[in-house]
Amino acid sequence: MKKIEVFLRHCYYSHLQYSSHNRPEWWDKEKVFENFKKTLNKKTTNYTIIYDKHHGERVNTFLKDEQNIYEIDCGKESESFCKTVDYILSKKLNDDTIVYFLEDDYVHRPKWDKVLMDGFTLPVDYVTLYDHGDKYQEMYKDFMTKVLHTELSHWMPTPSTTNTFATKFKTLREDRDIHIQYSTGYEPSFDHGKFLELNGRKRRNLISCIPGYSTHAQKEFLSPCIDWNKYL
């Protein structure tokens, strides 16, 4: 059994939708997927693609020859996230398996799997490889004074992250209702509120590696200090 199970949510976007997301100049969805496969360590990690066919059939995309696919028909990020949660929980995974929720617009640096596993050597519940540039603000200064380190990285406790994050299978099962709650009646999911709730109600903690081993491919929210273009 692999140590990491990635569940990569993919959906079809038109070129018009691409431009509306304020993407970096290097943005290309197929190249981002190739980056993921190129940096994937098959010795530690499996991946399953959750494909939302609502806006276009997979046969018309660069995913047409991919094998490990679970298709859904949602059309909304929040609904597709809920279906992904319940699909994962239907699997017979070991309690300690690292479940990595991944959206289709994240770029990774090599050896991200080692860093992700390294993060869970700390007493934490949730880990993100995405170093949020917006968290370096005055309102979050208390978090920034609590930097931790492991063998491979420094880590900063952070109040929230996007719906690209990792946790143990057991933790996901225990927190399922909160994840569903903050993706029901919202579009997109209210991820910031969800992680605040997980911390406040269940004392779950979340850490982010610094600098990041992944980035959200939106121009104003790139992980700082890294030239992400060179990884595509």
Side-chain angles (χ1 to χ4, degrees):
M1 184 174 292
K2 301 297 176 70
K3 295 182 179 179
I4 303 172
E5 292 285 343
V6 180
F7 294 88
L8 171 55
R9 286 192 295 151
H10 251 283
C11 58
Y12 175 80
Y13 281 110
S14 69
H15 290 294
L16 179 62
Q17 288 170 309
Y18 270 41
S19 62
S20 68
H21 280 70
N22 193 21
R23 300 298 191 183
E25 294 178 359
W26 44 259
W27 164 253
D28 181 280
K29 194 167 186 177
E30 184 172 1
K31 287 183 179 179
V32 168
F33 180 59
E34 291 302 321
N35 160 266
F36 168 72
K37 292 203 295 183
K38 183 171 62 176
T39 59
L40 183 76
N41 183 350
K42 294 182 180 179
K43 294 181 179 179
T44 63
T45 307
N46 283 326
Y47 74 94
T48 301
I49 294 172
I50 311 296
Y51 184 78
D52 187 350
K53 64 182 182 179
H54 189 84
H55 295 294
E57 296 291 337
R58 181 169 57 89
V59 68
N60 298 318
T61 75
F62 55 82
L63 300 173
K64 60 182 180 297
D65 296 323
E66 286 290 319
Q67 299 300 311
N68 200 13
I69 302 277
Y70 179 69
E71 290 197 352
I72 57 178
D73 188 352
C74 297
K76 294 181 178 181
E77 185 279 330
S78 53
E79 185 180 350
S80 73
F81 179 78
C82 290
K83 286 188 177 293
T84 300
V85 169
D86 285 338
Y87 174 73
I88 294 170
L89 292 176
S90 74
K91 314 292 283 185
K92 295 181 179 179
L93 301 179
N94 186 283
D95 278 353
D96 288 329
T97 299
I98 297 171
V99 174
Y100 184 18
F101 287 83
L102 179 59
E103 295 164 287
D104 59 9
D105 57 351
Y106 278 74
V107 179
H108 290 79
R109 291 201 282 156
K111 299 183 179 179
W112 59 263
D113 64 306
K114 297 183 183 300
V115 174
L116 185 59
M117 291 186 291
D118 196 41
F120 281 101
T121 63
L122 293 168
V124 298
D125 304 296
Y126 289 88
V127 173
T128 176
L129 299 172
Y130 172 37
D131 182 16
H132 295 246
D134 63 328
K135 296 299 187 288
Y136 295 91
Q137 300 176 14
E138 181 69 17
M139 70 180 74
Y140 301 123
K141 65 180 181 179
D142 289 340
F143 283 92
M144 295 175 63
T145 63
K146 301 175 183 178
V147 175
L148 311 168
H149 77 86
T150 55
E151 181 181 354
L152 300 179
S153 182
H154 287 86
W155 300 86
M156 181 175 69
T158 187
S160 66
T161 187
T162 65
N163 265 341
T164 288
F165 63 87
T167 190
K168 298 288 185 70
F169 183 73
K170 180 177 184 291
T171 306
L172 179 64
R173 185 173 64 244
E174 294 174 350
D175 294 349
R176 183 260 180 195
D177 289 350
I178 292 178
H179 286 285
I180 298 299
Q181 175 186 344
Y182 283 85
S183 288
T184 301
Y186 297 98
E187 182 55 34
S189 302
F190 185 25
D191 43 47
H192 179 70
K194 171 173 68 179
F195 283 99
L196 295 181
E197 177 82 356
L198 285 167
N199 178 261
R201 191 199 308 181
K202 304 196 73 172
R203 310 311 299 169
R204 300 300 198 191
N205 52 357
L206 165 69
I207 58 173
S208 169
C209 61
I210 46 176
Y213 266 78
S214 76
T215 189
H216 193 187
Q218 287 191 320
K219 187 181 295 184
E220 68 271 38
F221 298 121
L222 295 175
S223 289
C225 305
I226 306 294
D227 178 10
W228 293 100
N229 186 29
K230 74 178 184 180
Y231 295 108
L232 295 181

